[in-house]
Amino acid sequence: MRILLLGEYSRFHNSLKEGLMQLGHEVMLIGNNDFKNYPLDISLYAKVFKGNYLLNKFRQLVFRISKLDLAQLETAFRFYINRKKLVGFDVVQLVNEYPIESTLYWEKKLLQFIFDNNKKVVLSSCGDDYNCVKYMLDGKFRYSILTPCETNPSAPHCQYTLKYVTDQFQKLHDFVYENITMVIAGDMDYSIPLDGNPKSFGLIPYPINTEKLIWSPLTISDKIIIFHGINEINASRKGNSYFEAALVAIGKKYPDKVDIITARSIPYAEYIQRYDSAHIVLDQVWSYDQGYNALEAMAKGKLVFTGAETEFETYYSISEPVNINAKADVTYLIEKLSWLIENPQEIVAIGKRARNFVEKEHDYIKVAQKYLNAWTN
């Protein structure tokens, strides 16, 4: 099969591509990269208006005056000049409802080109979209990434997330759903809002290339190393402030037993390298299941604080913890970290189970086959 993967922001499509190619398929990946700099076959990144200091300043001035983002127009142009390479695929998978990230006018025009010139188009639900944001606003989750917006509505992610339920984005959502064959959720945070949706295939776990993520059993001979990675743009939606507060207390409580590493908004390759030495990785608070960063850390045998709610444990029949369910409660986080520091054998045991879990449920070749089965059936 010839497969086009449109959009990338978590290494999800890169790992899926690697699995599909192992199974003998031809795969192209196109996307609009951010600072994480994931590999792409065709990049839509607006390097003229974002990469040039003076032109970026001009872009910002134009945006303040007209609300028109010249970088979005450049992204649309880069898609347009590559359009002839994006036809005749057996399957196209969109990473979300807004995969090109152009102006909404051009987004619809360019997606229409994809719909008209390829055999089948499917949608992945693995990030903000109309369904999941509306589900949050309707209060159907116990908590969500919008929970911090109740007390801090000016947090950067609030406006970004809420745009998906504006009239314009709802029209984009409707347009996409009129043209796709199915929508596939990547984890519990996105599969739950899709329950009952007639186009929902259900959940297929994220693919993780464990061949690239080398595992060796954790050994703790001296200090316990705790890694906390922060993307400044998404800090509030990840709950990083709770981790930061807990780490201040842990640093004072166990100065001779822990080393704390904090990394802020660094490229993916450097991020992976920085947490290689860690025993414990702090990922996110406002989630029910694991996202990509957590799964990759688990694949390396790290103990990860992340989403691991009862919905996740029930779905995967978890009998012994493979991670620690992170909560928006500093006292709870301090207690959990303290217990682990005082019982380091538990860090090693959970880290080993984490690797086994990823190999069982998220192996990139097995998951790629699940996608093929979904697309063809």
Side-chain angles (χ1 to χ4, degrees), residues 203-216:
L203 188 155
I204 298 180
Y206 295 123
I208 301 294
N209 189 339
T210 52
E211 294 175 15
K212 288 191 172 184
L213 297 166
I214 306 303
W215 173 75
S216 59

Side-chain angles (χ1 to χ4, degrees), residues 190-354:
Y190 305 106
S191 67
I192 293 171
L194 286 171
D195 282 348
N197 187 306
K199 290 206 171 181
S200 174
F201 177 84
L203 188 155
I204 298 180
Y206 295 123
I208 301 294
N209 189 339
T210 52
E211 294 175 15
K212 288 191 172 184
L213 297 166
I214 306 303
W215 173 75
S216 59
L218 292 177
T219 56
I220 302 173
S221 56
D222 189 14
K223 290 186 176 182
I224 293 169
I225 301 172
I226 305 172
F227 177 85
H228 183 206
I230 301 173
N231 176 350
E232 299 286 4
I233 296 173
N234 287 330
S236 57
R237 72 178 281 156
K238 298 285 188 182
N240 292 116
S241 61
Y242 296 96
F243 290 134
E244 288 184 293
L247 287 176
V248 170
I250 289 295
K252 292 178 180 178
K253 187 176 180 180
Y254 299 104
D256 299 323
K257 290 187 175 183
V258 299
D259 276 335
I260 297 169
I261 302 172
T262 300
R264 297 180 182 273
S265 299
I266 57 177
Y268 171 78
E270 185 180 346
Y271 176 90
I272 292 292
Q273 187 179 28
R274 293 282 291 276
Y275 79 48
D276 265 351
S277 62
H279 302 103
I280 297 173
V281 174
L282 307 182
D283 177 50
Q284 61 178 325
V285 164
W286 305 112
S287 63
Y288 292 73
D289 195 350
Q290 297 92 64
Y292 228 81
N293 284 348
L295 288 169
E296 290 197 322
M298 289 167 63
K300 286 196 166 188
K302 311 300 182 185
L303 186 151
V304 184
F305 278 67
T306 185
E309 287 286 359
T310 53
E311 290 88 344
F312 157 74
E313 293 182 331
T314 301
Y315 183 84
Y316 289 105
S317 300
I318 303 295
S319 58
E320 293 184 287
V322 297
N323 45 32
I324 299 294
N325 186 32
K327 296 182 181 180
D329 182 334
V330 175
T331 301
Y332 164 86
L333 294 173
I334 293 171
E335 289 174 353
K336 285 291 185 182
L337 285 166
S338 297
W339 177 73
L340 291 165
I341 292 165
E342 292 168 10
N343 297 276
Q345 72 278 3
E346 292 295 332
I347 300 174
V348 176
I350 295 174
K352 184 176 181 180
R353 290 198 295 269

Side-chain angles (χ1 to χ4, degrees), residues 8-9 31-36 43-60 63 68-76 78 98-103 160 163 233:
E8 175 69 301
Y9 50 67
N32 190 353
N33 237 336
D34 61 10
F35 70 90
K36 295 173 187 174
S43 174
L44 303 178
Y45 181 71
K47 62 182 180 181
V48 172
F49 283 107
K50 288 185 176 181
N52 182 287
Y53 178 79
L54 291 177
L55 287 176
N56 191 31
K57 288 294 184 183
F58 175 69
R59 165 200 168 209
Q60 293 171 18
F63 184 78
L68 176 66
D69 189 344
L70 295 175
Q72 290 184 319
L73 294 181
E74 182 184 346
T75 293
R78 291 186 180 281
Y98 184 47
I100 303 167
E101 299 179 282
S102 180
T103 65
Y160 175 87
K163 75 181 180 182
I233 296 173

Side-chain angles (χ1 to χ4, degrees), residues 30-227:
I30 176 173
N32 190 353
N33 237 336
D34 61 10
F35 70 90
K36 295 173 187 174
N37 199 29
Y38 298 113
L40 298 167
D41 296 311
I42 297 175
S43 174
L44 303 178
Y45 181 71
K47 62 182 180 181
V48 172
F49 283 107
K50 288 185 176 181
N52 182 287
Y53 178 79
L54 291 177
L55 287 176
N56 191 31
K57 288 294 184 183
F58 175 69
R59 165 200 168 209
Q60 293 171 18
L61 175 64
V62 170
F63 184 78
R64 282 198 296 270
I65 296 171
S66 66
K67 300 303 178 184
L68 176 66
D69 189 344
L70 295 175
Q72 290 184 319
L73 294 181
E74 182 184 346
T75 293
F77 175 73
R78 291 186 180 281
F79 183 100
Y80 182 79
I81 61 176
N82 284 289
R83 69 192 185 282
K84 292 181 181 178
K85 302 174 184 176
L86 310 178
V87 301
F89 288 88
D90 299 298
V91 176
V92 179
Q93 178 161 289
L94 313 179
V95 77
N96 63 13
E97 296 173 2
Y98 184 47
I100 303 167
E101 299 179 282
S102 180
T103 65
L104 288 177
Y105 173 82
W106 281 109
E107 193 82 14
K108 289 181 71 173
K109 289 283 187 184
L110 300 175
L111 285 176
Q112 188 66 65
F113 178 86
I114 291 292
F115 296 139
D116 290 344
N117 290 281
N118 296 282
K119 294 178 182 178
K120 179 184 291 186
V121 181
V122 301
L123 173 67
S124 172
S125 181
C126 61
D128 294 347
D129 59 29
Y130 175 79
N131 281 321
C132 74
V133 176
K134 187 173 188 307
Y135 196 89
M136 296 175 203
L137 287 175
D138 289 344
K140 295 180 180 180
F141 277 126
R142 296 188 299 280
Y143 61 80
S144 74
I145 59 171
L146 288 180
T147 301
C149 300
E150 296 171 7
T151 54
N152 184 20
S154 62
H157 84 279
C158 299
Q159 185 177 358
Y160 175 87
T161 297
L162 290 171
K163 75 181 180 182
Y164 286 95
V165 290
T166 61
D167 289 343
Q168 286 182 310
F169 272 89
Q170 184 176 355
K171 289 177 182 177
L172 176 64
H173 160 81
D174 293 340
F175 167 71
V176 169
Y177 267 74
E178 287 169 5
N179 288 279
I180 59 167
T181 303
M182 69 181 74
V183 55
I184 303 171
D187 65 41
M188 304 299 298
D189 294 84
Y190 305 106
S191 67
I192 293 171
L194 286 171
D195 282 348
N197 187 306
K199 290 206 171 181
S200 174
F201 177 84
L203 188 155
I204 298 180
Y206 295 123
I208 301 294
N209 189 339
T210 52
E211 294 175 15
K212 288 191 172 184
L213 297 166
I214 306 303
W215 173 75
S216 59
L218 292 177
T219 56
I220 302 173
S221 56
D222 189 14
K223 290 186 176 182
I224 293 169
I225 301 172
I226 305 172
F227 177 85

